[in-house]
């Protein structure tokens, strides 16, 4: 039996029923970034999974009680900066 010159232990993924407008956008994106549609999709999937993993880690962190609403702290800081600017 002949063996391939190289072996990639990679899975394949097929996406069906992509709306034509989305496919056109993806094609333009790949062309603008000088890459294949496959590379553009893999990059987008990696980015989305990284975001999801970050949100999962963030959700596991303990909450912090500041003793005051965050919006109130922001308003106070903005008013201090406004005084400094004047």
């Amino acid at each position: 039996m002949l063996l391939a010159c190289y072996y990639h232990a990679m899975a394949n993924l097929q996406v069906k029923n992509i709306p034509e407008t989305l496919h056109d956008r993806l094609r333009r994106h790949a062309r603008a970034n000088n890459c294949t549609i496959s590379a553009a999709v893999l990059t987008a999937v990696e980015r989305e999974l990284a975001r999801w993993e970050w949100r999962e880690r963030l959700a596991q962190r303990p909450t912090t009680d500041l003793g005051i609403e965050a919006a109130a702290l922001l308003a106070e800081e903005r008013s201090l900066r406004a005084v400094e600017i004047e």
Side-chain angles (χ1 to χ4, degrees):
M1 177 192 319
L2 291 175
L3 297 176
C5 296
Y6 53 89
Y7 174 75
H8 294 288
M10 293 186 177
N12 289 310
L13 176 67
Q14 183 178 31
V15 180
K16 296 181 179 184
N17 302 319
I18 299 173
E20 192 63 33
T21 55
L22 178 59
H23 189 255
D24 289 341
R25 289 171 56 205
L26 182 57
R27 189 181 300 115
R28 285 194 311 272
H29 173 78
R31 192 176 304 129
N33 287 284
N34 198 29
C35 66
T36 63
I37 289 176
S38 184
V41 169
L42 286 174
T43 300
V45 169
E46 269 294 331
R47 189 180 315 118
E48 183 57 32
L49 288 175
R51 287 180 186 151
W52 174 73
E53 291 164 349
W54 183 85
R55 286 190 300 264
E56 288 289 309
R57 286 193 310 272
L58 183 64
Q60 293 174 3
R61 291 179 49 97
T63 58
T64 302
D65 183 12
L66 300 174
I68 187 171
E69 293 277 332
L73 289 173
L74 286 172
E76 181 182 332
E77 186 62 29
R78 286 180 180 145
S79 66
L80 290 173
R81 287 185 187 173
V83 170
E84 291 175 2
I85 292 172
E86 293 176 354

